[in-house]
Amino acid sequence: MEEKLRQLSARDELRLAQEAQRGYAYLCAVTGEESQGLWAVAHNAALVCFSMQEGGNRKYADVEEVLRSLSLRQIAALAGAYQRLFEEEGEEWTKK
């Protein structure tokens, strides 16, 4: 099946912080610590959770699945790809 990034809907954007908080709580429980670095990982994992599609459906059920399935490097790369793809698209839209 083909994997791809899709732009978040307004609904998903509103849910992003809540999902990131769930991911942060999970990471804190796993590592036994709290840090801004863990928050950044959790936020990126939530973004990946909502944006990754496989065969037209969300690939990951929740942020914890992303955190269990992917490495830190993979999560960062996918979040970076999302930012590059859709920030450029937004810049084009505002120029019209």
Side-chain angles (χ1 to χ4, degrees), residues 56-68:
N57 297 311
R58 271 183 44 188
K59 181 171 180 170
Y60 300 102
D62 57 35
V63 69
E64 290 179 21
E65 184 179 359
V66 174
L67 292 166
R68 287 189 305 270

Side-chain angles (χ1 to χ4, degrees), residues 1-65:
M1 293 208 162
E2 183 183 351
E3 292 181 359
K4 71 175 201 169
L5 290 171
R6 71 165 179 88
Q7 190 167 14
L8 267 58
S9 67
R11 177 178 167 243
D12 289 341
E13 285 185 23
L14 292 171
R15 294 174 44 210
L16 188 63
Q18 181 180 10
E19 193 70 8
Q21 185 61 45
R22 287 183 56 215
Y24 181 68
Y26 173 80
L27 289 173
C28 290
V30 169
T31 63
E33 61 182 74
E34 296 179 11
S35 72
Q36 280 190 297
L38 291 180
W39 172 253
V41 170
H43 188 273
N44 284 344
L47 179 64
V48 169
C49 176
F50 287 124
S51 65
M52 282 296 298
Q53 284 196 333
E54 185 174 58
N57 297 311
R58 271 183 44 188
K59 181 171 180 170
Y60 300 102
D62 57 35
V63 69
E64 290 179 21
E65 184 179 359

